Amino acid sequence: MSADKIIVIGHKSPDTDSICSALGYAAYKQAQGVNAEAGMTAEPNKETMFALEKFGVVAPELVTSVPAKQKLILVDHNEEGQAVDGMRDAEIVEIIDHHRLGGISTASPLFVHIEPVGCTSTIIANMFWKNDVKMSTSVAGLLLSAILSDTVLFKSPTCTQQDKDTAAKLAEEACVDLKEYGMAMLKAGAGIDGMTPEQVADTDLKAFEFGTVKAIISQISVMDPQEVLDIKADLLAAMKANCQAKGVELALLMVTDIMNESTHLLVAGEPQDLVAKAFAKPVEDSCVYLPGVMSRKKQIVPPMTEAAK
Ligand code: MG
Ligand code: MG
Ligand code: MG
């Protein structure tokens, strides 16, 4: 990418929102004459590939690290631990996000738009409409895909009325049946067929700090959690190896059951009693079963943060 180009980029272990909101926001900026281009920190997952193929969009350029002073727009994250390598010495010009503030500091003032909605793409779609920027059918499809993914077809507790209204409008613009397309997309992404235990343990991995405890939390959403639990021993080994490799003490893997709206939380490393305290349940056989839990952001991170106090 040329040096004067602004890179719009989501978090590491990109999910559908991180890639589709980067593509959507880059299109929004380009429509306003800004020299912006989408990037991605790693290859798209199966679900995101399904969305890109459905709407005939090429994946963004792979950007695994950025040089000093590179102008960046962060979408779908704002924490350094989740950002592309080199972010600390880059110039962040904008942040568009729907997560907690995670301790970032910048040299210069910047444009920040953070809202507690279910998806970054909800914010971006509404920026298009509010500012009368023409949205292509494919961008509408990508933004819709991100909302369906982040809200797990509106079932996640992070989902707001604004996400539902925005998705309905986007589905019309993208000419797809919302429920039918959403199920097909989630199905394409669910399941661990052809994945190694290491790849499963690395799915949608994010780094956090809970008090003094450095932790990583991954999440895999599936239709059939048993096929994941069947390889639990291998997953725990991969999670422990991750702790070593990433210099963290605790690794959690959310095995989220899309249909049953529940999560088996696998726990590797220490302190396990922090996890037990957070969810008021013992960690049994390296696992805590959490009915009704689907959201890392709303149902895992806050109790872990509270328990660490
Ligand atoms: Mg995300
Ligand atoms: Mg998101
Ligand atoms: Mg997500």
Side-chain angles (χ1 to χ4, degrees), residues 178-201:
L178 198 141
K179 283 272 150 65
E180 195 182 301
Y181 171 67
M183 280 304 291
M185 187 196 72
L186 290 181
K187 252 193 201 131
I192 58 168
D193 260 12
M195 291 174 81
T196 65
E198 289 74 22
Q199 287 169 327
V200 175

Side-chain angles (χ1 to χ4, degrees), residues 81 205-210 212-218 238-252 268-271:
L205 182 151
K206 290 187 184 180
F208 296 90
E209 282 184 34
F210 301 112
T212 57
V213 177
K214 286 192 164 75
I216 47 176
I217 308 178
S218 308
M239 290 162 70
K240 278 187 192 130
N242 259 345
C243 286
Q244 288 270 333
K246 296 184 192 295
V248 304
E249 296 118 272
L250 183 67
L252 303 178
E270 296 293 338

Side-chain angles (χ1 to χ4, degrees), residues 11 15 17-18 76 97-99 118-120 150 297:
H11 53 74
D15 54 12
D17 189 26
S18 259
D76 197 36
D97 193 17
H98 67 129
H99 294 91
C119 183
T120 306
D150 263 12
K297 178 166 57 179

Side-chain angles (χ1 to χ4, degrees), residues 27-259:
Y28 173 83
K29 296 303 279 188
Q30 284 160 15
Q32 295 171 319
V34 178
N35 188 10
E37 197 177 316
M40 61 181 181
T41 56
E43 293 299 332
N45 62 33
K46 287 184 285 183
E47 180 195 272
T48 312
M49 281 307 299
F50 182 87
L52 291 169
E53 278 164 22
K54 167 82 182 175
F55 296 104
V57 179
V58 178
E61 188 172 327
L62 186 62
V63 179
T64 54
S65 69
V66 293
K69 308 274 184 228
Q70 170 67 52
K71 285 188 164 59
L72 289 181
I73 295 175
L74 305 184
V75 292
D76 197 36
H77 72 301
N78 67 70
E79 303 197 28
E80 191 184 351
Q82 300 168 7
V84 63
D85 290 345
M87 177 272 238
R88 186 192 285 261
D89 299 314
E91 184 187 345
I92 300 161
V93 294
E94 295 189 30
I95 299 172
I96 316 292
D97 193 17
H98 67 129
H99 294 91
R100 68 168 191 180
L101 281 173
I104 211 170
S105 70
T106 61
S108 306
L110 68 161
F111 179 90
V112 176
H113 187 143
I114 297 177
E115 274 186 64
V117 290
C119 183
T120 306
S121 291
T122 297
I123 300 171
I124 293 169
N126 285 283
M127 289 169 93
F128 268 92
W129 296 328
K130 197 173 157 220
N131 296 300
D132 275 325
V133 177
K134 196 179 157 14
M135 186 191 295
S136 67
T137 306
S138 57
V139 165
L142 295 180
L143 296 175
L144 170 66
S145 303
I147 297 172
L148 295 171
S149 167
D150 263 12
T151 66
V152 197
L153 266 179
F154 312 127
K155 282 192 232 163
S156 169
T158 59
C159 185
T160 67
Q161 191 58 44
Q162 205 190 338
D163 297 299
K164 291 180 188 167
D165 295 345
T166 303
K169 204 166 157 188
L170 287 169
E172 251 173 57
E173 297 205 14
C175 309
V176 293
D177 180 88
L178 198 141
K179 283 272 150 65
E180 195 182 301
Y181 171 67
M183 280 304 291
M185 187 196 72
L186 290 181
K187 252 193 201 131
I192 58 168
D193 260 12
M195 291 174 81
T196 65
E198 289 74 22
Q199 287 169 327
V200 175
D202 283 354
T203 303
D204 196 7
L205 182 151
K206 290 187 184 180
F208 296 90
E209 282 184 34
F210 301 112
T212 57
V213 177
K214 286 192 164 75
I216 47 176
I217 308 178
S218 308
Q219 183 173 28
I220 186 151
S221 297
V222 292
M223 303 277 183
D224 174 20
Q226 196 52 49
E227 70 166 346
V228 184
L229 298 175
D230 282 346
I231 58 162
K232 190 165 105 180
D234 294 334
L235 291 173
L236 291 169
M239 290 162 70
K240 278 187 192 130
N242 259 345
C243 286
Q244 288 270 333
K246 296 184 192 295
V248 304
E249 296 118 272
L250 183 67
L252 303 178
L253 171 61
M254 297 173 67
V255 181
T256 299
D257 184 334
I258 301 170
M259 290 300 129

